[in-house]
Amino acid sequence: MSLHPAAIPLALASALVAVLVTRLSIHYALRRSLVDLPGQRRSHSVPTPRGGGIGIVAGVVTGLAIGASTRQLASPACVYAIVAVVLVAAVGWIDDHRGLSARIRIIVHALAMVVLYVPLFQLAAAMSQLLPAGAGNPDLLATASITALAAVVFVLANVWSVNLHNFMDGINGLLACQAIFVFLVLAALAPEGGQLIPLLCAAATAGFLPSNFPRARVFMGDVGSGSLGLLIAWAVVLQAVSFHGSGFSGLIVCSAFVADATCTLLSRMLRGRRWYSAHREHLYQWLVRSGFSHARVVALYMGWNLFVVVPVLVAVNRGVGSESKIGGLAWTLAVYALALVVWIAGKRWCLRRAKNARREKA
């Protein structure tokens, strides 16, 4: 893979800004007593500042702004993306400070995604206007309808991604490491011009990571987790519509988080619990409660990425068993079926371990 000439400068700028703003956020959080205290629904044992994810937001926005101003990135798309990221980050920032209702957060998230995909909605509208009056053009009409439907699907998927990654940000380094992995893989799969956005997102996240892992001097907070959820979903969409590599690659590369969050959500809904309320029922949280260190849990999730996701991605993108879209879908379904088995087995192991621990105490 040959790097775009602007890749390294944009990545360095994003990383440096992220490092600086993250450090400033720690001092700000301490001054404002913006601190997460240990508790029953927490996975940490010492008071820790939160809101450090603003460094990631600042790094990404800086990279996008520089890329757009130097015409290395498409200016209109970058403007829409910056507005969308700022909206999600603003909601997260307020929620980190004083809390917001789930309804307000969802509404703003949906608005941000509509802004992000304005170009697709505009394209669908433009194609519709080209239709002849009276008689229809079936091919053009179908294309316009598919484009509009894709935009709606992307909006809904991105809203879920924002909340999914917020749920998965519960221990040191897990979300940041996962995001870096996803961005780097998507950059590797993208054409030369499509590398820039995932690379600068990876660099900004890497600038934040040393402050959060292995020892957390600051937590990402909703301002960072929500923004990363948006950026990951956007990067997945960009790779899928680039027609460079399998369109299923994004679903495969995100499988660890999507499977854990989705299985946990469905499990809570089936048991009649509020899915949006705080809890410690994700597999990664059960593992920590079972005695695993944060670093060890992160290693397990990264192990899934290296030993399951990477080989499958190589197979899918080299055409092994995926000569058609059906083949790519089959690989994706197989990965998620395996993830479901691992999730169920992991949960049962943790429950047995907890039950044995209670027996020993008794």
Side-chain angles (χ1 to χ4, degrees):
M1 179 186 72
S2 58
L3 281 177
H4 189 281
I8 294 178
L10 283 179
L12 285 175
S14 298
L16 290 173
V17 170
V19 170
L20 176 61
V21 176
T22 299
R23 291 182 178 178
L24 292 174
S25 74
I26 296 174
H27 298 294
Y28 170 84
L30 292 174
R31 286 199 308 270
R32 295 289 301 271
S33 298
L34 195 64
V35 176
D36 273 346
L37 301 174
Q40 184 178 0
R41 293 179 175 177
R42 305 287 184 179
S43 297
H44 61 284
S45 57
V46 296
T48 307
R50 68 176 179 271
I54 190 67
I56 299 174
V57 175
V60 170
V61 169
T62 298
L64 291 174
I66 294 175
S69 63
T70 58
R71 298 186 179 180
Q72 301 295 334
L73 294 170
S75 296
C78 283
V79 171
Y80 292 130
I82 289 172
V83 172
V85 171
V86 169
L87 280 173
V88 172
V91 169
W93 183 257
I94 295 172
D95 197 38
D96 285 333
H97 280 71
R98 59 181 179 83
L100 281 175
S101 69
R103 180 178 299 179
I104 293 177
R105 294 199 306 270
I106 292 293
I107 290 173
V108 177
H109 292 164
L111 174 62
M113 303 318 158
V114 171
V115 171
L116 182 63
Y117 292 108
V118 159
L120 271 184
F121 287 112
Q122 289 177 332
L123 178 60
M127 286 189 292
S128 298
Q129 291 177 358
L130 292 175
L131 293 172
N137 184 325
D139 292 337
L140 190 57
L141 178 60
T143 304
S145 301
I146 291 172
T147 302
L149 178 61
V152 173
V153 170
F154 292 158
V155 167
L156 295 176
N158 280 38
V159 170
W160 170 229
S161 179
V162 168
N163 290 277
L164 178 160
H165 289 89
N166 179 273
F167 299 153
M168 295 298 292
D169 179 36
I171 62 174
N172 301 347
L174 181 60
L175 175 53
C177 288
Q178 173 72 5
I180 292 170
F181 173 79
V182 171
F183 289 135
L184 291 179
V185 169
L186 294 177
L189 293 173
E192 184 177 293
Q195 301 166 353
L196 297 181
I197 290 173
L199 281 178
L200 68 87
C201 290
T205 310
F208 164 82
L209 182 61
S211 297
N212 184 247
F213 185 76
R215 182 180 68 86
R217 288 185 290 149
V218 66
F219 291 152
M220 190 179 294
D222 287 356
V223 63
S225 60
S227 300
L228 275 181
L230 179 153
L231 293 167
I232 287 172
W234 187 40
V236 167
V237 169
L238 291 177
Q239 185 277 323
V241 301
S242 71
F243 301 105
H244 196 274
S246 171
F248 293 97
S249 297
L251 288 175
I252 295 170
V253 76
C254 295
S255 57
F257 271 32
V258 173
D260 192 353
T262 303
C263 288
T264 303
L265 170 67
L266 293 177
S267 174
R268 287 179 62 80
M269 291 176 68
L270 290 173
R271 287 181 292 164
R273 299 188 179 184
R274 291 188 298 177
W275 63 269
Y276 52 84
S277 62
H279 61 84
R280 290 199 301 169
E281 296 184 16
H282 291 96
L283 179 56
Y284 76 89
Q285 293 168 320
W286 272 102
L287 290 169
V288 171
R289 290 160 64 184
S290 298
F292 283 59
S293 68
H294 289 202
R296 190 176 178 187
V297 174
V298 172
L300 288 174
Y301 278 75
M302 295 307 105
W304 170 272
N305 289 336
L306 294 177
F307 297 111
V308 176
V309 169
V310 170
V312 171
L313 284 175
V314 171
V316 168
N317 286 285
R318 285 188 177 178
V320 179
S322 59
E323 294 79 8
S324 65
K325 293 180 180 179
I326 296 177
L329 177 60
W331 275 108
T332 305
L333 293 176
V335 168
Y336 277 90
L338 178 59
L340 175 60
V341 171
V342 171
W343 186 87
I344 293 173
K347 270 296 197 62
R348 289 182 175 178
W349 181 87
C350 290
L351 288 171
R352 284 197 302 270
R353 188 178 176 91
K355 186 176 181 180
N356 292 337
R358 287 195 297 268
R359 284 179 179 175
E360 291 177 0
K361 288 182 180 179

